Structures are given as C-alpha cells and as structure tokens.
C-alpha cells in the first residue's frame, strides 16, 4: 500500500512536491518526485536525521533519492547529507570550501554544539561531511523524468556566501528558499552573512517565482510573495541597504 504525505507528516504543496518541518530547529526539508528520480532539498541536522529523511522520502517517492540540493552550509541543513550515499549532491559554487577548510568545519561544529546538538553527533557529522559534486554558479536545470524539471539557482551571497534556491515549475510553482526567508522568527545574520546583498537576493527570488508561487522558508510556514517582499524591505531597513 502506498503511504501518503499526511501519514508521514509531510506537507504536500503540489503534485509530487512537499516538505516536512524537522523537530528542534523547525528546519525544512523538501522533496520533488520525478519518474524514477527524486530530489531532496536539505538533509537535516545529524546523520541519524538524514537517515530518517531518506527513508521517508524514498517511501513517498516509491524509489531512491537520486539528487540532493543543499541550500546553504549551516549544520541544520547539511549534517545529514552523508546519509545520501550515491545521490548526486548540488550546492552553490564555493560551498565545498566551508566543508574542507579547517576553520569552516570548526565553525559548523561550534554552531551546532552552541545550538544544542550533542557533541558526539556533531563530531560524527563533521567527520562524514558529504562534499557537493556539482557546483551551481548561475542556474542549473535538473531533469527528474516524467516531464519534471527543477531549476537550481545560485542567488547569493546573502544569508551565507553560498545560497542556493530551488524552483519547481507547476501549478502552483514552488520555491524552496533556504534561510533566505524565515517565517518562524527573524532572519538570522551570522558571521558568514552578507547583509548588503540580501535584499537583492530576495528580489531575484521573487523574479524566479513570481506573484503566485508558494515560497518555502528554511524555517516556518509556507509564505507568499507579499511576505517575501515585506521581509526584503525589513532586511533593507535593518542593514541600511538602499532598494
């Protein structure tokens, strides 16, 4: 018997497209199902969480997860990536420098532990960090089969130096925003943020999705274009950026 999105507590956004809100940090993971292929967007905050995500995603898709897109290099979005062995991993160009440089790995671990992740789980995830094989400089179209195409777009730097968004055409169109957009709290600008570019990144996001798209934030409920525009204005005001 085929399991439903609701049974696994995933939110179905469009045919073959959905997301779940992970516990503790309310981080979003997305899924796009094609014919014989499936794309997961972000991988959770630990290897164990990545394993659970993969099992649920493959149960929903009816086949294995073949592609993984990492929206940005923060622990709650990437620490589960090593659970997706065999998947084609995508990230914004330069993201691998965070994973391979000693200071980048130390920052990831410190951020995870500082936010409450068990030190053993943090060490395990850092040691197993999966490097993206495919680096998106501008835009990259993935063909998942069955007429399903997905656009990966590098719109950063903004929330980090390596921000990737995922546009799923359809009715409605769905845009997975990573932490460029947050609904459950104020957008977080950490040590690796580039605030001066953030409003422009949201303009690019709006250009991609348009007025009628569903925008899926990295944390919180799905929002509309008006919410994204208001958050752009608030960020511009917060950081003194002219629009």
């Amino acid at each position: 018997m085929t399991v439903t999105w609701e049974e696994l507590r995933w939110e179905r956004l469009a045919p073959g497209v959905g997301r779940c809100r992970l516990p503790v940090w309310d981080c979003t993971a997305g899924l796009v199902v094609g014919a014989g292929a499936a794309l997961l967007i972000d991988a959770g905050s630990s290897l164990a969480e990545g394993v659970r995500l993969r099992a649920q995603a493959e149960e929903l898709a009816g086949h294995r997860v073949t592609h993984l897109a990492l929206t940005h290099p923060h622990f709650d979005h990437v620490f589960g990536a090593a659970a997706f062995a065999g998947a084609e991993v995508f990230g914004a160009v330069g993201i691998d420098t965070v994973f391979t440089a000693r200071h980048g790995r130390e920052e990831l671990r410190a951020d995870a532990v500082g936010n409450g992740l068990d030190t053993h789980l943090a060490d395990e995830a850092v040691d197993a960090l999966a490097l993206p094989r495919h680096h998106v400089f501008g835009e990259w179209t993935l063909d998942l089969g069955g007429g399903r195409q997905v656009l990966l777009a590098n719109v950063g730097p903004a929330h980090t130096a390596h921000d990737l968004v995922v546009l799923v055409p359809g009715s409605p169109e769905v845009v997975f925003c990573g932490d460029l957009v947050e609904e459950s709290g104020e957008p977080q600008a950490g040590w690796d943020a580039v605030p001066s570019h953030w409003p422009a990144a949201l303009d690019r996001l709006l250009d991609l999705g348009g007025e009628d798209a569903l925008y899926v934030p990295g944390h919180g409920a799905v929002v509309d274009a008006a919410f994204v525009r208001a958050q752009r204005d608030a960020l511009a005001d917060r950081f003194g950026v002219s629009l």
Side-chain angles (χ1 to χ4, degrees):
M1 184 174 65
T2 303
V3 69
T4 67
W5 299 82
E6 293 76 18
E7 286 173 322
L8 291 181
R9 297 187 178 182
W10 282 63
E11 181 181 1
R12 184 178 178 274
L13 304 173
V17 184
R19 67 87 176 250
C20 67
R21 293 170 69 169
L22 299 170
V24 185
W25 294 285
D26 190 26
C27 181
T28 284
L31 176 64
V32 185
V33 180
L39 166 70
L40 193 82
I41 299 114
D42 287 337
S45 61
S46 68
L47 282 173
E49 193 160 65
V51 169
R52 290 194 297 272
L53 269 176
R54 182 165 197 167
Q56 290 182 357
E58 293 184 345
E59 192 169 4
L60 288 169
H63 47 257
R64 55 187 294 271
V65 171
T66 53
H67 300 75
L68 172 65
L70 302 176
T71 62
H72 63 286
H74 283 171
F75 83 93
D76 48 338
H77 298 259
V78 305
F79 268 10
F84 293 84
E88 298 289 334
V89 184
F90 293 78
V93 66
I95 192 174
D96 53 320
T97 61
V98 178
F99 295 165
T100 57
R102 180 178 176 182
H103 72 277
R105 296 164 70 90
E106 289 174 347
E107 288 283 359
L108 275 174
R109 182 191 181 281
D111 187 36
V113 172
N115 277 282
L117 186 66
D118 178 83
T119 55
H120 170 72
L121 295 179
D123 289 339
E124 178 185 55
V126 169
D127 288 343
L129 275 172
L131 299 181
R133 178 182 175 187
H134 306 287
H135 304 105
V136 183
F137 179 76
E139 297 179 354
W140 191 311
T141 300
L142 294 180
D143 188 346
L144 300 180
R148 170 77 75 189
Q149 291 191 327
V150 175
L151 179 70
L152 309 181
N154 183 339
V155 300
H159 174 64
T160 72
H162 315 290
D163 292 310
L164 188 73
V165 301
V166 179
L167 170 68
V168 187
S171 183
E173 293 195 330
V174 180
V175 184
F176 290 93
C177 309
D179 286 3
L180 288 168
V181 179
E182 296 193 42
E183 185 275 337
S184 55
E186 186 174 85
Q188 298 301 301
W191 64 272
D192 55 347
V194 187
S196 61
H197 290 200
W198 203 330
L202 293 185
D203 280 333
R204 175 68 178 134
L205 199 67
L206 290 164
D207 287 342
L208 285 169
E211 286 301 308
D212 298 323
L214 299 178
Y215 292 88
V216 185
H219 302 265
V222 175
V223 300
D224 58 13
F227 182 96
V228 176
R229 192 172 293 107
Q231 195 155 95
R232 176 205 61 189
D233 293 346
L235 286 165
D237 183 64
R238 176 179 166 188
F239 297 118
V241 179
S242 297
L243 294 176

